[in-house]
Amino acid sequence: MTARRRPSWRLVWILPAGLSLLAGLDAALLLLGVGAPVTTARLPDVHGMLMVLGFVGTLISLERATALGRWYGFFAPALLGIGGIALLADPVPLIVAKAILVAGTLAFTLVYIPLWHRQFDEPLLVQLLGAALGCAGAVIWLNQTSMEQVLPWLIGFVVLTIAAERVELARITMGPHAGFRLLVHAWTIVIALLIGVAFPDAGAIALGLALAGLVSWLVVHDIARRTIRATGAARYMAACILSGYVWLAVAAVALLFGVPSAQPTYDAVVHAVFLGYTISMIMAHATTILPAVLHIALPYRPAFWVPAAILQLSLIVRLWVGDALGEPAGWQIGGVLGVIALLLFVIVAVTSAVLGPPSAKKPAANKPAAKKKDAALRPAAASRVATGPRPAAASTPAPAAPQPEGDE
């Protein structure tokens, strides 16, 4: 039996990210008008930033800092994690917590400069653009009490960052020009955001068109369209990835109607992007990226399907029954199911990490009875050789199960 590796010290940065996640889910319950374990004065108002920068931003910046491999790279996850915690502490002035998040997003953006010098790469440049959009969103939030003007920049941050990492993983199947095409799509999103500064409705429509173009290209070229027919981990990952693309397309269509200022449209765009697209992608890649960052085995188990399925169900109920049909009960039920899906995913992931890789089955012992059975079968085998092979239908072996693709 091989000994497990000791967890990396980088596990420390997961703690503030996890706290931001739990606080963000608690705030979600407060916003839904249902019971929540904890209540603070400003918790509902910081729900979005807790989830996007406190949780997702810390995770992504930690992964990039690990790829850089320099001590200064870890300032980004440290500042974003501390900023998320500061959002929760009422004694800390909100403007101070916002400033810490600005510093964290700036440090995150700067991480890409040495990475860029190390490797001149279009997907890496797209990730730099995404981090810069996240920093711009944090700066805009400094003087804002609502999230409406911040939302498009945060969308650009998560969409470009995740899409670029997806192209990095699957570029072999996307062709030699995938990076350049991704960069073109990225600049259309940046241009749409700049248009929205002066003309909000036109900018929202342009952003919807840019997202629709990007997701159409990703769906056509992503290997997940083929690995969905595989089994095990490859099929699970493909299902999560394709689900994420579907929800990003839903958000793109909603944006074509202009600025999502009305509550149903705003709710649909926010949760289609940050739950449907972002969390589905995190669920898809958690078993491959987290072990590399934390040195903790996180083997795939069929139980991962449960939170992934509940997440998709929650979005269908919330966006269709709640937002589209205007049923408050659908909005609340869908929201609660989303919280359950995320908590259950954390439980499944932690349990899988604790249990470790499934143990291989031991070969059966050579018992005397088995030897006798072997000896009894040998004459029958000799007789089949003498009389010729079995009919084709009986001798054809069962087809091998499809193997997971390398980039999945």
Side-chain angles (χ1 to χ4, degrees):
M1 179 184 293
T2 58
R4 294 194 196 181
R5 286 193 299 177
R6 294 180 60 184
S8 169
W9 62 269
R10 291 185 288 269
L11 185 61
V12 172
W13 304 125
I14 294 296
L15 299 179
L19 183 59
S20 291
L21 172 63
L22 294 176
L25 296 179
D26 186 274
L29 295 175
L30 293 174
L31 291 169
L32 289 168
V34 299
V38 179
T39 302
T40 65
R42 67 187 186 207
L43 186 55
D45 298 327
V46 298
H47 162 69
M49 281 303 192
L50 279 170
M51 295 295 292
V52 178
L53 294 184
F55 172 57
V56 176
T58 301
L59 286 183
I60 296 176
S61 63
L62 177 60
E63 188 269 333
R64 290 288 86 188
T66 303
L68 178 62
R70 298 289 185 270
W71 61 268
Y72 52 81
F74 294 95
F75 277 115
L79 287 169
L80 288 171
I82 293 170
I85 294 173
L87 289 177
L88 304 175
D90 286 343
V92 178
L94 184 57
I95 189 65
V96 173
K98 290 181 175 183
I100 296 173
L101 287 178
V102 170
T105 55
L106 179 59
F108 182 27
T109 305
L110 294 176
V111 165
Y112 285 103
I113 294 177
L115 286 172
W116 173 254
H117 285 302
R118 183 184 297 174
Q119 179 182 3
F120 295 93
D121 189 50
E122 290 96 343
L124 191 62
L125 181 57
V126 172
Q127 291 177 53
L128 190 155
L129 283 173
L133 297 181
C135 185
V139 170
I140 293 171
W141 194 47
L142 278 173
N143 297 316
Q144 297 291 325
T145 56
S146 69
M147 293 291 293
E148 287 187 11
Q149 294 183 24
V150 182
L151 175 64
W153 302 88
L154 296 183
I155 290 175
F157 162 56
V158 298
V159 168
L160 292 188
T161 303
I162 294 173
E165 291 201 351
R166 187 63 202 149
V167 170
E168 277 188 340
L169 292 171
R171 73 170 72 212
I172 294 176
T173 62
M174 289 188 170
H177 304 296
F180 175 76
R181 290 171 181 169
L182 174 67
L183 186 59
V184 171
H185 285 292
W187 279 113
T188 62
I189 290 175
V190 173
I191 292 169
L193 294 175
L194 295 176
I195 292 172
V197 173
F199 308 101
D201 277 328
I205 294 170
L207 181 58
L209 292 172
L211 292 178
L214 173 62
V215 75
S216 299
W217 176 73
L218 287 170
V219 168
V220 169
H221 293 90
D222 201 307
I223 195 174
R225 291 178 62 239
R226 296 201 294 275
T227 53
I228 191 65
R229 296 189 291 271
T231 57
R235 187 171 197 172
Y236 162 77
M237 294 173 69
C240 291
I241 290 166
L242 295 177
S243 298
Y245 290 155
V246 168
W247 293 117
L248 186 58
V250 169
V253 171
L255 286 167
L256 296 178
F257 294 93
V259 174
S261 53
Q263 175 58 25
T265 309
Y266 180 85
D267 186 78
V269 170
V270 166
H271 293 91
V273 173
F274 298 112
L275 274 185
Y277 173 72
T278 305
I279 300 300
S280 291
M281 289 294 185
I282 289 175
M283 287 183 171
H285 296 96
T287 57
T288 56
I289 292 178
L290 286 181
V293 174
L294 303 178
H295 296 173
I296 294 176
L298 185 58
Y300 162 80
R301 285 181 164 86
F304 277 103
W305 281 97
V306 178
I310 294 176
L311 176 67
Q312 309 310 318
L313 176 62
S314 75
L315 288 162
I316 292 171
V317 173
R318 180 168 190 156
L319 272 64
W320 178 37
V321 180
D323 294 331
L325 300 182
E327 292 291 339
W331 178 65
Q332 286 185 323
I333 292 170
V336 171
L337 284 174
V339 172
I340 292 172
L342 282 169
L343 291 175
L344 188 57
F345 178 76
V346 172
I347 293 171
V348 171
V350 171
T351 303
S352 183
V354 170
L355 294 177
S359 56
K361 292 182 180 179
K362 295 181 179 180
N366 291 327
K367 297 181 180 179
K371 291 182 179 178
K372 288 180 182 178
K373 184 177 178 183
D374 251 359
L377 288 175
R378 282 189 197 113
S383 120
R384 282 198 300 271
V385 171
T387 56
R390 292 182 182 181
S395 63
T396 304
Q403 295 299 315
E405 294 288 343
D407 52 12
E408 285 292 320

